Each structure stands twice: as structure tokens, then as C-alpha cells.
Amino acid sequence: MIKHYIITLILLLAVIILSPSCDEVSPYTLSEIDTTTVIDPGTSGEIDTIYSDTTFIGTIAEVQPKVVILEEYSGVRCVTCPAGHIETEAIINTHKGQVAAVVIHAGNLIFPYNGEGALYIDDGLSLYSSSGATAVPSATVDRIVFDGQDNIALGNPTSWASKVALQKQEIPPVNVYVYEEYDPSTRQLKMYVQLRYTQAASTDQRLTVALVESGIVRTQLTPDGEQEDYVHNHVMRTMPTSSNGWLIEGETGIGGVIVKSFETTLDADWLVENMEIVAFVHETGTGRKVLQGGSVY
């Protein structure tokens, strides 16, 4: 009996000692992560568990599929802009997961109806001015100057899809991962962008981050007249970076990893469940060619 009791006790202690604690099996939250510790997932291309600004040389990640950045310029008093909105949605649905759209209200047809909240911001006006666009609707696709173009702006919505399909074939030299943390009590949104270089950067590059919102109801001029219940999607609300982007600093050689954090407080009338963070790496200078994009809702 005593021998049996001792064996049972030994087995019970072994179970207690060898069993993992609750902390070890529970998912981490941001507050539980030691942000000074770098966790490199190897070549899987998964997001590292890093939530603070850092840079280091890691293993070379598997190359991501190309994510094309479509920046559409629009205005609520533009009667032909709904056609642009329809085209953008069709492109997103055709190339699921490989297109991130940012709708920028700019130009002379942006002033809201009936005291409604404006959909334009100063950074958007700056981007419109530098794009070379002369009217809305227009768009840029990866900010490329395509053959036959004098600038990056494409005025005819029917031309956007073919340019997106062309850019989707590009092999990006850098992977872009976007993730976030939101505090509903303060409406503070923290955004984290991780870059993993699969090719060494040959020139200076910048990182641009935009926060966009869908499901915004505002009056829109349409071919049938003023539509008060018109739903606007992918509208740029703010830019955590400047319109020129953040100059990328750190390890941009092959295997280089850079993490950059941003934060903003959401306005009271922005619906966090309808918001998307769009981030992309682009060249500097007048070309500003987009190398790779990424987004998260």
C-alpha cells in the first residue's frame, strides 16, 4: 500500500512539474511581449513578434505576392466619379488580396453638401498636386509613369484594370507586413509596419502609411442627381506618415528587417470596424515607384 502510494505521488508530481503553465499556452497580448527580444520566424515570411521600432539582419524571407497600390482621386461634386468607384471595386474583387485601394478626395469638386463632414485632407491635396492629375476621376497604379503618359495620373477609369494586372506580375524586393493594436477606451490606434528585404535596396526608399475608411455615407453627385445616401469606400482619413512618406532607415540589405510604429487617435465619427491600414514602400524622388504594399483591417 505504501509502495503504491509513493508511486502515485511520484506520478502526480511529474504531471505537475511537466505540465505547461497557463501563461505558456495562452496567446500573447502586446503588453505581455518583451519588445526588446527579437523573434525571427526564419524563412516562413510570417510576421515577427516585434512591436517596437527596430532593425536587424534576419534570415531571408519567402517573397510575397505583389500587392498593387491603387490611389484613386475623387470628389463628392464630381458627376463621373461614381464610375471610378465602381471600377476600383471591380479591380479589388478581381485581384483579391493583391490590390490595396486608397480613395483620395482632391481637386475642385470636393466641397461637401449640406454641412456634411468633408472627405478631403491636406495630405491628399498634396498627393493630387504632385501626381500631375488635372481632373477627377483619375488614379495612379503603383505611381508608375506608363508608356504614353506624361505623369503618373491615369484619367480614364477603363484604363486602370490593365495597368493593375500588369503591375501584379512584378516581383517585389521587400515584403510588407501590417498589424495593429486598438484601445477602444481611448480610441488610440497603434500601427506597426514590418519590412523584410528579399533583395538589397539600390536607392533610398520611403514608407507611406494611410488610414482609410469604408461605409461612409455622404451626398454624392451622380448621373441621376445628388444621392444623399451614397456610400463611400476606401476613403483616406489620415496619414500617420507625411504625404512624402517616412525615409526608411536601417538594414535595407538582403535579409534586412525594419519595424516602424505609428499611432493616431481616431475621430469620434470614424468606425474602427470599417477602417483599413494601407502601407507601401516606394522610391524617393519624382518617380516614387511603389515596390510593395500591404494592408490590414
Side-chain angles (χ1 to χ4, degrees):
M1 179 67 71
I2 294 176
K3 181 178 179 181
H4 176 74
Y5 174 79
I6 292 173
I7 292 173
T8 302
L9 181 60
I10 290 172
L11 290 174
L12 180 61
L13 288 173
V15 169
I16 294 173
I17 291 170
L18 296 176
S19 296
S21 67
C22 292
D23 288 342
E24 290 172 327
V25 297
S26 298
Y28 282 113
T29 63
L30 286 181
S31 60
E32 294 171 334
I33 293 173
D34 177 4
T35 56
T36 64
T37 301
V38 170
I39 303 175
D40 186 354
T43 59
S44 65
E46 297 175 357
I47 298 172
D48 290 353
T49 310
I50 304 173
Y51 294 91
S52 62
D53 293 5
T54 188
T55 181
F56 65 99
I57 295 291
T59 53
I60 302 173
E62 187 176 325
V63 177
Q64 287 178 329
K66 180 69 170 74
V67 176
V68 179
I69 298 298
L70 174 63
E71 294 169 286
E72 177 193 346
Y73 293 104
S74 188
V76 295
R77 294 180 182 268
C78 165
V79 68
T80 54
C81 282
H85 303 160
I86 292 171
E87 186 65 20
T88 292
E89 290 299 333
I91 290 170
I92 291 172
N93 290 331
T94 299
H95 306 285
K96 290 186 183 297
Q98 285 194 259
V99 177
V102 180
V103 177
I104 301 166
H105 284 245
N108 298 321
L109 303 174
I110 56 176
F111 302 104
Y113 289 92
N114 309 320
E116 296 175 342
L119 296 180
Y120 64 88
I121 61 174
D122 289 343
D123 283 328
L125 302 181
S126 296
L127 288 172
Y128 179 75
S129 177
S130 63
S131 73
T134 57
V136 291
S138 59
T140 67
V141 175
D142 274 348
R143 298 181 176 177
I144 298 291
V145 180
F146 293 96
D147 291 344
Q149 294 288 126
D150 295 327
N151 51 55
I152 62 176
L154 301 165
N156 186 349
T158 60
S159 70
W160 303 349
S162 62
K163 302 300 190 293
V164 168
L166 183 65
Q167 283 304 110
K168 199 180 80 167
Q169 305 306 313
E170 292 285 306
I171 298 175
V174 58
N175 291 353
V176 177
Y177 307 94
V178 188
Y179 41 116
E180 51 76 30
E181 180 190 32
Y182 178 66
D183 184 346
S185 65
T186 61
R187 294 187 62 79
Q188 185 181 54
L189 177 66
K190 294 182 179 179
M191 295 155 276
Y192 307 87
V193 181
Q194 180 189 129
L195 311 178
R196 297 184 68 91
Y197 281 84
T198 56
Q199 300 176 32
S202 58
T203 60
D204 288 341
Q205 297 172 1
R206 290 182 177 269
L207 169 66
T208 287
V209 179
L211 185 61
V212 306
E213 182 181 7
S214 294
I216 304 172
V217 178
R218 294 285 190 279
T219 302
Q220 171 71 47
L221 184 61
T222 75
D224 296 324
E226 297 175 8
Q227 182 178 333
E228 295 182 354
D229 61 351
Y230 191 92
V231 178
H232 295 265
N233 294 318
H234 318 292
V235 176
M236 186 168 71
R237 285 300 207 176
T238 188
M239 297 192 78
T241 60
S242 71
S243 60
N244 292 326
W246 171 73
L247 182 63
I248 294 172
E249 300 175 336
E251 300 288 356
T252 58
I254 187 168
V257 179
I258 297 170
V259 178
K260 180 65 177 173
S261 61
F262 306 91
E263 62 181 66
T264 189
T265 301
L266 304 188
D267 284 5
D269 62 340
W270 299 355
L271 296 180
V272 66
E273 60 269 25
N274 291 348
M275 309 208 79
E276 179 183 8
I277 304 166
V278 178
F280 51 97
V281 174
H282 54 92
E283 296 176 345
T284 59
T286 55
R288 299 182 297 157
K289 173 185 176 181
V290 174
L291 303 175
Q292 176 65 325
S295 66
V296 68
Y297 282 95

